[in-house]
Amino acid sequence: MSDCLFCKIIDGSIPSTKIYEDDHVYAFTDISPVAKGHTLLIPKHHCQDLFEMPEEVARNLYAVAPKIANAIKAAFQPIGLNTINNNGAAAGQTVFHYHLHFIPRYDEKEGLGLIWQTQKYSAEQLAEVAESIKANL
Ligand code: AMP
Ligand code: ZN
């Protein structure tokens, strides 16, 4: 895609700090890291988000995820690491070429702050939700 920032990073017309590249994916440092080692992994095939991602692109992308996570772990010894992917502006997506964030965790005060509010669902409600999703697989 000619007007896509991350496609331009892949083709080298916009500079990036490359960490890894193969035939299918490209990994580079996030320009505004949330924590030391914050890395983005993207498919070379342009797709806007997870909803649009072909299965084979997903396979090739996630095949590399453990390698990236373990390299970050070995480099900086974080005490944890989140992988996060935002799909849609309402979910916080700002660059519309799929990317998987690798965000290392060092202590509770640094970096990523996740608000994770749980809700109470009965077994029947959970089953109803599951049926709705299953009907669309
Ligand atoms: P998201 O909000 O999930 O769409 O994340 C987009 C990410 O891309 C943000 O964390 C930005 O800091 C990062 N970003 C934007 N422009 C660049 C760039 N030129 N090089 C590296 N990372 C970038
Ligand atoms: Zn793109």
Side-chain angles (χ1 to χ4, degrees):
M1 276 251 299
S2 54
D3 62 346
C4 170
L5 172 64
F6 285 176
C7 283
K8 287 179 181 164
I9 281 180
I10 291 164
D11 74 20
S13 57
I14 287 181
S16 67
T17 310
K18 181 164 87 171
I19 290 171
Y20 176 82
E21 181 176 14
D22 65 22
D23 288 347
H24 307 291
V25 303
Y26 189 90
F28 56 110
T29 58
D30 194 294
I31 203 166
S32 306
V34 167
K36 189 178 186 179
H38 183 172
T39 297
L40 300 176
L41 176 64
I42 64 178
K44 288 190 171 177
H45 173 91
H46 177 90
C47 46
Q48 179 170 311
D49 53 30
L50 189 61
F51 301 118
E52 284 191 355
M53 185 180 281
E55 276 188 30
E56 194 185 342
V57 174
R59 251 194 302 279
N60 290 328
L61 185 112
Y62 218 79
V64 175
K67 188 200 294 283
I68 302 295
N70 279 306
I72 295 168
K73 186 178 177 189
F76 302 123
Q77 295 83 46
I79 54 176
L81 181 144
N82 294 87
T83 53
I84 297 180
N85 151 239
N86 300 324
N87 298 286
Q93 186 174 12
T94 59
V95 178
F96 294 90
H97 178 129
Y98 176 96
H99 47 282
L100 186 61
H101 293 262
F102 291 74
I103 304 180
R105 307 297 291 263
Y106 297 103
D107 68 48
E108 285 175 13
K109 290 179 288 301
E110 187 192 351
L112 189 67
L114 276 181
I115 300 166
W116 194 275
Q117 281 171 342
T118 59
Q119 300 170 36
K120 284 247 178 291
Y121 269 62
S122 67
E124 291 73 26
Q125 287 172 316
L126 292 174
E128 210 176 293
V129 168
E131 286 308 319
S132 299
I133 298 170
K134 281 157 63 179
N136 285 284
L137 286 175

